[in-house]
C-alpha cells in the first residue's frame, strides 16, 4: 500500500515528474564529484549550440534545461537533503512546497547584514546632520550682539585677543587675524552656552545604532523607574518633588524631553507656580493659551487678510499676492 518514491513527484518542484538522479544517470549514493562529472558529460551532449538547426534541437534544449535543474538540485547539500526527504516522504506535499519555494525565494544576501548596514548608514547620517545643525546654531549665535559682546569680553580677559602683533616673516594678514578671532569667539560660545533642543551638541549615544544596542538597558531602567513611581506615589502616597511635577507637566503638554528642556527657566517656574501638575489647573491653563492664541491671530494683519481672501475669493482662485 505504500507509494513508490516517484509517485510523490509534482510538476513545478525540482525535476517535475522525473527523478533528478535518473536525469543525470547517477545513484542516490553518488558523491558530488560523480554528480558534477555526469552533468558535464550530459551538458556537452545536449547543449543547444551543438544541435542548432536540427529537428531534435527543441527537444535537446528542453532536456538540457532539465539536466541543469537536476544538477542545481543535487549539487547543494541542503537542497539535496530536502529532495531526498521528498522522495522518501511523498505524502507531505505542503512541507515540500514550503522548503522548495523558501529556498528559491530566499534573498541571496543575509538580511541581518543588510539591516546592520542600513542602521549604520542612518546613524552616520544622523550624527553628521546633528553636527551640521549644531555648527549652524553656533554661527548664528556668533552674529547675535548679546552673545558676541560677552564672548569678546571673556576672550579679552583670558588674553586671547590681546596678543602682540607678529613682525617679519611671521606677520599675518588682517584676514587671517580676523578668522582666528572669529574661531576664538565661537569656541567661547560653545563652552559657555548650553544649547538645548534640536540644535544641541550631538552625542554619540543618541544615534540610532547606540539606541538599538542600549534598548535593553533603557527598558530595564524604565521598568525600575516605573515600579519606583508606583511604590512611592501610588502605594505610599508621597508628595511629588520638583522633577516629578515637571515630568507630569511635560506629559500633559505632550512634549519630548528635548523640547521641554529648551524652554526658559522662568516658563518652568510659571508652570510650578500655577500647579499645572494638577489636571484641572492644566486644563484651565490650556484654555487660556488657546484664547490668547485666538486673540493674537485675530489682531494679526496677515490672518485678517487671509480670512478676507477666504471669504471673498476662496481657495479656488489664483492670485499674485505674495502673502
Amino acid at each position: 500500500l505504500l507509494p513508490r518514491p516517484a509517485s510523490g513527484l509534482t510538476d513545478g518542484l525540482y525535476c517535475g515528474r522525473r527523478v533528478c538522479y535518473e536525469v543525470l544517470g547517477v545513484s542516490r549514493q553518488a558523491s558530488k564529484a560523480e554528480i558534477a562529472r555526469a552533468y558535464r558529460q550530459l551538458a556537452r551532449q545536449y547543449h543547444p549550440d551543438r544541435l542548432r538547426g536540427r529537428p531534435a534541437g527543441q527537444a535537446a534544449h528542453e532536456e538540457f534545461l532539465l539536466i541543469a535543474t537536476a544538477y542545481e538540485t543535487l549539487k547543494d547539500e541542503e537542497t539535496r537533503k530536502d529532495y531526498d526527504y521528498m522522495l522518501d516522504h511523498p505524502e507531505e506535499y505542503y512541507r515540500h512546497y514550503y522548503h522548495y519555494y523558501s529556498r528559491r525565494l530566499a534573498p541571496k544576501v543575509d538580511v541581518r547584514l543588510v539591516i546592520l548596514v542600513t542602521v549604520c548608514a542612518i546613524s552616520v547620517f544622523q550624527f553628521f546632520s546633528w553636527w551640521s545643525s549644531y555648527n549652524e546654531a553656533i554661527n548664528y549665535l556668533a552674529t547675535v550682539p548679546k552673545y558676541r559682546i560677552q564672548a569678546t569680553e571673556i576672550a579679552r580677559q583670558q588674553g586671547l585677543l590681546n596678543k602682540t602683533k607678529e613682525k617679519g616673516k611671521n606677520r599675518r594678514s588682517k584676514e587671517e587675524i580676523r578668522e582666528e578671532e572669529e574661531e576664538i569667539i565661537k569656541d567661547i560660545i560653545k563652552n559657555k552656552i548650553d544649547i538645548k533642543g534640536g540644535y544641541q551638541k550631538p552625542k554619540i549615544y543618541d544615534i540610532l545604532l547606540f539606541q538599538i544596542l542600549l534598548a535593553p538597558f533603557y527598558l530595564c531602567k524604565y521598568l525600575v523607574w516605573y515600579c519606583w513611581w508606583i511604590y512611592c506615589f501610588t502605594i505610599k502616597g508621597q508628595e511629588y518633588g520638583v522633577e516629578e511635577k515637571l515630568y507630569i507637566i511635560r506629559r500633559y503638554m505632550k512634549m519630548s524631553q528635548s523640547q521641554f528642556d529648551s524652554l526658559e527657566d522662568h516658563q518652568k517656574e510659571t508652570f510650578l507656580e500655577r500647579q499645572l501638575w494638577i489636571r484641572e489647573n492644566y486644563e484651565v491653563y490650556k484654555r487660556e493659551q488657546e484664547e490668547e492664541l485666538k486673540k493674537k491671530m485675530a489682531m494679526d494683519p496677515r490672518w485678517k487678510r487671509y480670512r478676507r481672501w477666504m471669504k471673498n475669493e476662496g481657495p479656488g482662485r489664483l492670485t499674485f499676492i505674495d502673502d
Side-chain angles (χ1 to χ4, degrees), residues 211-237:
Q211 290 292 313
I212 294 175
L213 295 177
L214 297 175
F217 169 74
Y218 290 141
L219 179 60
C220 295
K221 184 178 178 180
Y222 173 77
L223 292 176
V224 172
W225 173 86
Y226 186 75
C227 294
W228 170 82
W229 184 281
I230 295 296
Y231 174 75
C232 292
F233 303 113
T234 303
I235 298 177
K236 297 182 66 176

Side-chain angles (χ1 to χ4, degrees), residues 25-134:
V26 297
S27 64
R28 290 187 59 175
Q29 292 75 29
S31 62
K32 295 181 66 174
E34 293 175 348
I35 292 173
R37 185 165 52 252
Y39 167 72
R40 287 193 294 270
Q41 293 176 356
L42 293 173
R44 286 194 297 266
Q45 180 180 352
Y46 291 96
H47 200 279
D49 293 340
R50 298 190 59 184
L51 302 174
R52 183 177 300 175
R54 300 182 184 180
Q58 182 63 28
H61 178 71
E62 295 177 358
E63 186 68 19
F64 178 79
L65 294 179
L66 184 62
I67 293 169
T69 302
Y71 177 66
E72 292 293 330
T73 301
L74 301 180
K75 74 173 184 177
D76 183 70
E77 292 293 338
E78 297 297 328
T79 308
R80 183 178 181 181
K81 187 184 299 184
D82 292 341
Y83 184 71
D84 290 342
Y85 186 88
M86 187 187 75
L87 295 179
D88 297 332
H89 303 84
E91 70 281 357
E92 299 181 13
Y93 298 106
Y94 299 109
R95 185 181 188 277
H96 305 325
Y97 272 102
Y98 170 75
H99 282 281
Y100 176 77
Y101 285 105
S102 64
R103 293 191 183 280
R104 290 200 62 181
L105 301 178
K108 303 302 181 182
V109 182
D110 192 352
V111 178
R112 295 169 295 182
L113 181 61
V114 175
I115 294 175
L116 178 61
V117 173
T118 303
V119 170
C120 291
I122 294 175
S123 302
V124 171
F125 175 78
Q126 277 183 328
F127 189 72
F128 284 102
S129 177
W130 287 344
W131 263 113
S132 177
S133 300
Y134 176 71

Side-chain angles (χ1 to χ4, degrees), residues 11 18 21 28 38 180 206 226 250 253 288:
D11 291 331
R18 296 181 60 180
Y21 292 101
R28 290 187 59 175
E180 182 181 0
D206 287 337
Y226 186 75
R250 180 174 67 83
M253 293 183 173
E288 291 178 357

